[in-house]
C-alpha cells in the first residue's frame, strides 16, 4: 500500500462513490465562500454608508460621543478644506462650525455663503463673511455645503445647535467629482432650471432642485405613493400639501399597503398642529390599518431674546423623508408644501438603493419607538350620515362638479380627482362652499375651478390635459382614474370614475412619453409661416400631435420637400406649444415652440419632466 499513489488500489466504483460524495461538499464550500464574500461586501458597503448618512441623536439619554457625531463629522469636513467652501443655508450658527470656518479662513480657504432674508447671520458676519442673500420670492431653504468640489454635505437639518443636536435630522456626506460638483453649483444657481439632469451614479442618487423641479418632485412623490407595492413610511416636519394627503388616504383604503407616518409635534404638547394635514389625514383613516404618530423628542435649550425672555429651540422632528417599499428614499430640505414646490430654493434627493433605504428604515423604527400613536374614531359620525359621504355626481354636460356634503365644524367639503397613467399622474383638488348649496342641497364648482394644490404637469388653466377646453367641457378619464372625495375631518370615499373619452390629451401624452424620444434641435429646424422645417435626415413624419393653449390637436402631415411639412389650417393657433411627431421608424420627435421670453408654465413643467425622465432637455424653436 506504500508508494507515490496510495489511492490507486481503489476500484472504479469506489472512486465514483468518493467523487459523488466530495463534489457536493466542494460545491457547498464554494457556495458558502461566495455567500461569505457577498456578506463581507454587504457589510463593507453598510459600514461605508453609515459613515455617509448620519442621523442626529437628540435624546438626553444618548451618550455625548454619539450625540455629537454629526458635529464632529462636519467640523472634520470643514477642517479638511484646502481651497473653497460654498454654503447654501437657511441658518448657520453652530459655534463649532463657526470656529471651523474661522480656521479655514486662516488657511486661506475661500468661503462663500448664499442665505435667506429670514436670518441675520450674525455669527458669519462676525468673521467678515457677508452672505449673498437670495432676492426672490420664498426662502433660501436648501441645506448644502460643497467643499473643494469633492465633498457634498446636505440633508434635512440646518447648521445650528438645534439642527445638529436637538432635532431629528439626517446629514449626508457624499464624495463627488468635479463635473458633478460643477453641475450641483450650476443647478442651485439656476434654481432648478439647469439643462442637465443631476445624477450621482456611485450613490444611485438623483438630485432635484426646486422651485424649477418643484412640480416634478410633487408628481414623483404622488406616483411613488400611488404605485407602492408593500410599504410607505415617512417622517415629515411640515405637511400642508392636500394632494399628497389625498393620495395617502387613497392608498390607506387599498388594504394592501403598510402605511405609517411620523409628524413633528410642533408645540410639544401631544396634539397635532391644526395647520398640518396630519389632522385631516388621521381623522379620515377610520378603520384603516394605517397609523399616524407624533414624535416624542422633548430635548430643547433656551436663549434670551432682546427683551430678556427665553426662546426655546429644538425638540422637533425635522425630517422630510419618504421611504417607498424599503427600496427607495426621498429626503432633503423639501417639505410637503406649496411654498417648497413653487417658491423656495430647495434640494431633494432620490436614493434608489435598498441598502440606503435600510438605514432610513432603521431610523424610522427608532424614532417611531419614542413617538405617540395618535388616536382616532374608527367609526366617526359621518359613517352613518349619508349627507356626510359625498359620492361624486361626476362632470355634467355643463362641466360642473357637485356634492351634497356639508361642512363639519370649520372644515369645508373638499375633493381630489386623480387621473393616473403609467408614466404620469394628475390631481385636481377642489374646495366646496356649503353656503352656496342650491335648492337640491348641492354645492357645485366648474371643472376648472381647481385649487393651486393640484398636482402634475398642470399649473395654469390654459394648455389643458385632463379637462377638455371650453365652458361645455366634460370630465375625460381613463379606467385607472379615481376620485377621492373628502369631507374633512371625516369622510373619504374612493370612487371609480366612469370611463370617459378614449384618447384623452393626458393619455396620449403618457403614451408618447413611453416611446423613445428624439429632440428636434432648433439649430437644424425651424417653424416659419405655418410650416415645419426639419433636418432632411429626420425620419418621415407620419402624424403630428400639437399641445397648445387651447388643448390637444393632431393631424397627418404631408412632406412637400426634404424635411418640409406644412401644417393643416387650424391646427396651430399661435403661442407656445409642444409638438410631438410620430416618425416612420417608430420613435417620437419632440419640438417646443416658444413665442415669448419665458415658456408657458405647463409647458415648462413638461420640459422639466422630459429632462428628468428621459435625460434630454428640449430646446425651443423661438418664434419671431
Amino acid at each position: 500500500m506504500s508508494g507515490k499513489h496510495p489511492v490507486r488500489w481503489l476500484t472504479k466504483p469506489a472512486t465514483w462513490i468518493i467523487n459523488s460524495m466530495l463534489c457536493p461538499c466542494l460545491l457547498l464550500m464554494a457556495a458558502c465562500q461566495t455567500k461569505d464574500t457577498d456578506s463581507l461586501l454587504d457589510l463593507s458597503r453598510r459600514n461605508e454608508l453609515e459613515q455617509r448618512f448620519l442621523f442626529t441623536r437628540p435624546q438626553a439619554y444618548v451618550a455625548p460621543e454619539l450625540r455629537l457625531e454629526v458635529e464632529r463629522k462636519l467640523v472634520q469636513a470643514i477642517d479638511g478644506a484646502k481651497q473653497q467652501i460654498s454654503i447654501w443655508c437657511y441658518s448657520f450658527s453652530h459655534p463649532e462650525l463657526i470656529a471651523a470656518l474661522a480656521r479655514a479662513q486662516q488657511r486661506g480657504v475661500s468661503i462663500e455663503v448664499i442665505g435667506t432674508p429670514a436670518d441675520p447671520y450674525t455669527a458669519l458676519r462676525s468673521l467678515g463673511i457677508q452672505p449673498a442673500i437670495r432676492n426672490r420670492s420664498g426662502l433660501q431653504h436648501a441645506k448644502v455645503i460643497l467643499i473643494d468640489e469633492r465633498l457634498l454635505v446636505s440633508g434635512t437639518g440646518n447648521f445650528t445647535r438645534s439642527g445638529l443636536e436637538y432635532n431629528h435630522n439626517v446629514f449626508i456626506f457624499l464624495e463627488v467629482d468635479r463635473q458633478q460638483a460643477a453641475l450641483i453649483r450650476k443647478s442651485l444657481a439656476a434654481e432648478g432650471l439647469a439643462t442637465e439632469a443631476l445624477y450621482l451614479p456611485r450613490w444611485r442618487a438623483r438630485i432635484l432642485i426646486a422651485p424649477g423641479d418643484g412640480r416634478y418632485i410633487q408628481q414623483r412623490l404622488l406616483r411613488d405613493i400611488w404605485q407602492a407595492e408593500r410599504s410607505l413610511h415617512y417622517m415629515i416636519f411640515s405637511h400642508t400639501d392636500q394632494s399628497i394627503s389625498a393620495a395617502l388616504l387613497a392608498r390607506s383604503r387599498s388594504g394592501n399597503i403598510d402605511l405609517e407616518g411620523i409628524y413633528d409635534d410642533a408645540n410639544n404638547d401631544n396634539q397635532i398642529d391644526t395647520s398640518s394635514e396630519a389632522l385631516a389625514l388621521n381623522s379620515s383613516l377610520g378603520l384603516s390599518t394605517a397609523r399616524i404618530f407624533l414624535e416624542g423628542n422633548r430635548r430643547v435649550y433656551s436663549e434670551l431674546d432682546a427683551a430678556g425672555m427665553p426662546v426655546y429651540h429644538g425638540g422637533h422632528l425635522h425630517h422630510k423623508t419618504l421611504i417607498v417599499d424599503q427600496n427607495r428614499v426621498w429626503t432633503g430640505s423639501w417639505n410637503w408644501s406649496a411654498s417648497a414646490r413653487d417658491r423656495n430654493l430647495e434640494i431633494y434627493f432620490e436614493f434608489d438603493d435598498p441598502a440606503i433605504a435600510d438605514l432610513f428604515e432603521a431610523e424610522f423604527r427608532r424614532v417611531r419607538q419614542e413617538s405617540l400613536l395618535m388616536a382616532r374614531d374608527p367609526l366617526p359620525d359621518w359613517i352613518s350620515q349619508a349627507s356626510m359621504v359625498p359620492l361624486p355626481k361626476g362632470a355634467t354636460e355643463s362641466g360642473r362638479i357637485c356634492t351634497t356634503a356639508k361642512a363639519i365644524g370649520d372644515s369645508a367639503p373638499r375633493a381630489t380627482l386623480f387621473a393616473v397613467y403609467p408614466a404620469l399622474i394628475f390631481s385636481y383638488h377642489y374646495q366646496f362652499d356649503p353656503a352656496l348649496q342650491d335648492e337640491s342641497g348641492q354645492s357645485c364648482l366648474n371643472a376648472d375651478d381647481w385649487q393651486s394644490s393640484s398636482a402634475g404637469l398642470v399649473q395654469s388653466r390654459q394648455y389643458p390635459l385632463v379637462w377638455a377646453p371650453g365652458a361645455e367641457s366634460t370630465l375625460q378619464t381613463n379606467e385607472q382614474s379615481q376620485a377621492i372625495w373628502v369631507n374633512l375631518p371625516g369622510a373619504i370615499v374612493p370612487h371609480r370614475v366612469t370611463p370617459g373619452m378614449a384618447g384623452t390629451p393626458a393619455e396620449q401624452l403618457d403614451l408618447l412619453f413611453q416611446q423613445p424620444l428624439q429632440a428636434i434641435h432648433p439649430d437644424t429646424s425651424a417653424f416659419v409661416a405655418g410650416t415645419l422645417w426639419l433636418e432632411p435626415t429626420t425620419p418621415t413624419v407620419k402624424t403630428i400631435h400639437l399641445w397648445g393653449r387651447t388643448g390637444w390637436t393632431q393631424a397627418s402631415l404631408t412632406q412637400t420637400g426634404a424635411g418640409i411639412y406644412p401644417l393643416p389650417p387650424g391646427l396651430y393657433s399661435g403661442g407656445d406649444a409642444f409638438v410631438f411627431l410620430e416618425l416612420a421608424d417608430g420613435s417620437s420627435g419632440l419640438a417646443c415652440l416658444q413665442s415669448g421670453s419665458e415658456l408657458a408654465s405647463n409647458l415648462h413643467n413638461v420640459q422639466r419632466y422630459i429632462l428628468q425622465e428621459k435625460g434630454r432637455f428640449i430646446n425651443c424653436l423661438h418664434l419671431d
Side-chain angles (χ1 to χ4, degrees):
M1 300 297 294
S2 62
K4 294 182 179 179
H5 305 286
V7 296
R8 281 183 176 173
W9 61 272
L10 293 173
T11 63
K12 286 185 178 181
T15 304
W16 180 86
I17 292 171
I18 291 175
N19 288 339
S20 66
M21 294 173 63
L22 285 175
C23 286
C25 293
L26 292 172
L27 289 172
L28 182 60
M29 290 171 64
C32 291
Q33 186 176 15
T34 301
K35 185 175 181 180
D36 288 343
T37 302
D38 292 342
S39 298
L40 287 173
L41 290 173
D42 291 343
L43 181 60
S44 175
R45 174 159 171 74
R46 183 176 180 89
N47 289 338
E48 179 189 24
L49 292 176
E50 286 177 345
Q51 298 303 311
R52 304 294 180 182
F53 295 82
L54 297 186
F55 299 95
T56 56
R57 297 288 186 265
Q59 299 91 336
Y61 61 79
V62 172
E65 303 81 43
L66 184 58
R67 193 162 61 238
L68 299 178
E69 184 180 15
V70 175
E71 174 196 313
R72 285 197 303 271
K73 184 87 171 180
L74 278 168
V75 169
Q76 181 183 24
I78 295 172
D79 282 342
K82 294 179 171 60
Q83 296 177 326
Q84 185 179 27
I85 300 174
S86 300
I87 301 171
W88 290 259
C89 59
Y90 179 74
S91 186
F92 197 108
S93 61
H94 194 287
E96 295 301 323
L97 301 188
I98 295 295
L101 287 182
R103 292 191 294 272
Q105 280 184 319
Q106 294 171 1
R107 297 193 306 274
V109 175
S110 172
I111 300 173
E112 63 172 340
V113 177
I114 297 88
T116 186
D119 195 293
Y121 299 103
T122 305
L124 288 172
R125 294 183 191 277
S126 70
L127 299 179
I129 300 173
Q130 303 299 324
I133 302 301
R134 179 179 184 258
N135 187 23
R136 300 191 186 183
S137 173
L139 303 172
Q140 193 308 106
H141 198 245
K143 298 100 166 56
V144 177
I145 303 177
L146 195 58
I147 298 177
D148 289 341
E149 309 293 89
R150 61 174 175 78
L151 178 64
L152 169 65
V153 180
S154 190
T156 65
N158 294 309
F159 305 110
T160 62
R161 282 187 67 194
S162 57
L164 272 62
E165 301 176 41
Y166 290 84
N167 292 336
H168 286 294
N169 277 307
V170 62
F171 286 85
I172 303 168
F173 300 78
L174 302 179
E175 292 178 355
V176 294
D177 59 35
R178 288 192 172 275
Q179 182 178 1
Q180 292 166 344
L183 187 51
I184 291 169
R185 187 183 298 279
K186 178 181 177 181
S187 298
L188 285 166
E191 303 214 342
L193 297 180
T195 57
E196 300 168 79
L198 183 46
Y199 296 97
L200 305 180
R202 176 181 174 184
W203 309 109
R204 298 181 65 177
R206 169 169 36 185
I207 299 177
L208 298 166
I209 307 296
D213 285 322
R215 285 190 172 265
Y216 177 77
I217 294 172
Q218 184 189 33
Q219 176 167 224
R220 277 304 313 274
L221 288 178
L222 288 173
R223 195 167 82 189
D224 272 4
I225 290 170
W226 206 270
Q227 295 178 350
E229 296 179 353
R230 299 188 307 275
S231 62
L232 291 165
H233 294 161
Y234 63 93
M235 299 176 284
I236 190 70
F237 176 69
S238 177
H239 173 194
T240 56
D241 187 316
Q242 295 171 339
S243 288
I244 290 180
S245 303
L248 290 170
L249 281 162
R251 290 314 313 273
S252 76
R253 293 301 177 95
S254 66
N256 60 354
I257 198 82
D258 173 19
L259 195 159
E260 294 187 341
I262 308 175
Y263 286 81
D264 175 53
D265 188 349
N267 300 311
N268 285 341
D269 58 0
N270 296 331
Q271 299 293 323
I272 299 178
D273 184 3
T274 56
S275 65
S276 172
E277 281 291 291
L279 184 63
L281 181 60
N282 190 58
S283 62
S284 298
L285 288 171
L287 290 171
S288 164
T289 59
R291 300 196 296 175
I292 300 298
F293 297 83
L294 277 184
E295 54 82 23
N297 178 22
R298 296 295 181 266
R299 186 164 177 266
V300 299
Y301 72 97
S302 65
E303 295 178 332
L304 298 180
D305 63 13
M309 299 299 293
V311 178
Y312 293 93
H313 303 277
H316 293 293
L317 177 131
H318 202 247
H319 273 275
K320 307 99 171 70
T321 298
L322 172 67
I323 312 163
V324 183
D325 288 337
Q326 301 181 24
N327 283 320
R328 183 182 300 115
V329 175
W330 292 90
T331 194
S333 70
W334 201 85
N335 283 301
W336 297 354
S337 67
S339 57
R341 182 191 68 184
D342 298 335
R343 294 184 294 277
N344 296 348
L345 179 60
E346 308 273 5
I347 186 167
Y348 215 45
F349 294 81
E350 177 192 13
F351 293 102
D352 195 7
D353 187 333
I356 293 174
D358 188 55
L359 295 180
F360 280 85
E361 275 289 336
E363 175 67 4
F364 176 85
R365 292 191 297 269
R366 187 184 67 80
V367 175
R368 184 186 60 189
Q369 188 175 8
E370 299 181 352
S371 298
L372 176 66
L373 176 62
M374 298 310 297
R376 63 173 181 263
D377 189 344
L379 295 172
D381 291 341
W382 57 263
I383 287 289
S384 60
Q385 301 178 29
S387 63
M388 295 297 182
V389 185
L391 293 174
K393 287 186 172 292
T396 66
E397 289 77 7
S398 60
R400 291 170 66 77
I401 295 178
C402 302
T403 181
T404 58
K406 296 178 173 59
I408 299 179
D410 296 330
S411 299
R414 69 190 204 185
T416 304
L417 166 71
F418 285 97
V420 183
Y421 301 90
L424 298 173
I425 183 169
F426 301 85
S427 77
Y428 292 85
H429 188 77
Y430 299 92
Q431 194 91 18
F432 293 91
D433 186 353
L436 301 179
Q437 287 184 340
D438 59 22
E439 295 179 356
S440 65
Q442 295 186 89
S443 299
C444 295
L445 291 171
N446 290 327
D448 61 358
D449 285 340
W450 37 266
Q451 301 287 305
S452 61
S453 56
S454 300
L457 303 180
V458 296
Q459 187 170 348
S460 73
R461 285 158 178 77
Q462 291 185 329
Y463 303 93
L465 283 173
V466 176
W467 298 110
E472 299 301 312
S473 64
T474 58
L475 174 61
Q476 303 177 34
T477 67
N478 68 351
E479 290 79 0
Q480 292 178 302
S481 297
Q482 262 193 352
I484 308 304
W485 295 78
V486 188
N487 185 26
L488 297 175
I492 169 168
V493 181
H495 183 80
R496 184 74 61 180
V497 176
T498 303
M501 296 171 58
T504 66
E507 192 168 15
Q508 293 192 24
L509 185 64
D510 186 85
L511 290 172
L512 288 168
F513 278 163
Q514 296 178 59
Q515 300 175 6
L517 289 177
Q518 297 185 30
I520 305 301
H521 202 277
D523 292 344
T524 57
S525 308
F527 182 74
V528 181
T531 300
L532 189 62
W533 299 70
L534 304 178
E535 188 176 3
T537 58
T538 303
T540 303
V541 176
K542 297 167 53 181
T543 307
I544 181 172
H545 303 263
L546 191 144
W547 181 34
R549 59 191 175 191
T550 59
W552 187 280
T553 54
Q554 65 185 63
S556 299
L557 292 185
T558 301
Q559 188 172 201
T560 59
I564 303 174
Y565 297 89
L567 267 60
L571 182 71
Y572 173 63
S573 58
D576 297 351
F578 259 105
V579 175
F580 297 86
L581 306 173
E582 290 188 49
L583 305 178
D585 65 354
S587 67
S588 295
L590 179 57
C592 170
L593 307 180
Q594 183 174 339
S595 59
S597 58
E598 292 186 0
L599 191 62
S601 58
N602 282 8
L603 302 188
H604 161 80
N605 295 334
V606 172
Q607 187 183 51
R608 301 307 300 176
Y609 180 92
I610 294 169
L611 171 65
Q612 297 299 340
E613 293 288 318
K614 300 292 186 179
R616 291 192 177 144
F617 183 78
I618 305 301
N619 288 291
C620 290
L621 308 177
H622 287 270
L623 308 177
D624 297 328

